[in-house]
Amino acid sequence: MTKRRILVACDAGAAGRELLTRRDLDLGWALTASEAKAWMKAATPDVVLTREEIATEVLAAAKALRHPPACVVLLDPDGWDRRSTYFEGGATGLVQASNRARILEAVSNLTGLAFASHKRVPFRDVVEVSWRGETHLLETRDLSVSGVAVGGMESAVIGERIRVAFVMAEPQVVVDGVVVRRGREEGEHVVGVSFCDVDARSRAGLEGIIEAEAANLPVIPEPVSMTTDLAGTFTIDLNTAMAASRRPEEGFRDMLEKSADSRDGEGPRLPRWLARVEKSLTRVERLALRGGEPRFASDAVNARIRIERARARLDGHGPTHDDCKAVLEISRNLASEAAMAPSEVLADVPNIRAALLLGVYGATRPGVEHTPMKRAANA
């Protein structure tokens, strides 16, 4: 899977959570113009989404690159009055920060990636799947009115037709579908099924299931407004911020350090969740893992261990309000702690912040890949 590289500068407005659930995006998340400049110089993005707060500086930095990326400015309510400034500065497009659909449309047009147009919720339930002349009881992972993710169909291939019966619903809902993607979730094969020819009665039944599930989901804060008062007195102890777990994580950190230093797989065998952390560590985090410096990166490693450990305990069901709030605070603090770092270190901060945010906001659909060739299905 080829990933599209996107820089988010400040935040992505109403589309932040959507972008953080994608596995076909390589995200950098900067909160300051200095972070954005350093990251773009080190890793030229395909697309930049920037809020007005630092848009002028970000546009200038992007324009100076050998291969300037497409830049979309996310406008405040009165931002259209400043449109000429942004277009003259090199903006590819302007979109209201509050308009989720238009932001995703802009990203889709610039990257070729498709985004689902319907609400999708985590959904763990047993369904009856009729497939290849047999009927199986299988477990779902998530659901929308346009499709469902189902586990236990290892041999399924893209394009196969199946029938899904939501036997636990009252009344029972039965829909036909086609397999449009394959992937893995926590080590298990999962397929994405796009529904076909859903009649009004079945659609109403699906909407009822989705609304009931959505009502039980925790209300979590949007990943926005992290740049407020960065120059003020805001501080936070990264070692105690994560509400999901406040106990020392030195044992897991030691395992991580030994694994990162090992050659030819001779290090300790890591739990799957800790292996995810090890695989995604940035260069600066690996240095901090060994020597403890820079401090902000060392603390970020501790936070990432806590996030992934809490996520594993939740069995992939998603973040709590406190998880998200703590990570937003940590993300803000990184900007202050790393502000005086040299450019080569500062360039890693957007990657570290994106990994922290992905740990909570991206936890709802781990490992299920989107298939660009089936973009019209919107599953």
Side-chain angles (χ1 to χ4, degrees), residues 238-239 250 253 284-285 287-305 334 352:
L238 299 184
N239 289 314
E250 288 304 316
R253 186 183 172 107
V284 171
E285 285 177 308
L287 292 173
L289 186 62
R290 298 183 181 96
E293 295 295 337
R295 176 61 185 272
F296 73 84
S298 180
D299 288 339
V301 171
N302 291 343
R304 291 181 64 183
I305 291 172
L334 281 175
I352 295 171

Side-chain angles (χ1 to χ4, degrees), residues 67-86:
H67 300 290
C71 295
V72 178
V73 180
L74 306 184
L75 300 174
D76 297 333
D78 63 344
W80 189 247
D81 295 339
R82 295 178 285 277
R83 61 189 181 279
S84 59
T85 299
Y86 299 133

Side-chain angles (χ1 to χ4, degrees), residues 356-371:
L356 288 165
L357 293 168
L358 279 165
V360 289
Y361 288 95
T364 56
R365 300 189 65 201
V368 180
E369 298 182 0
H370 293 250
T371 306

Side-chain angles (χ1 to χ4, degrees), residues 161-172:
R161 305 280 298 198
I162 70 171
R163 173 165 291 182
V164 183
F166 293 83
V167 293
M168 305 301 289
E170 183 59 46
Q172 180 174 300

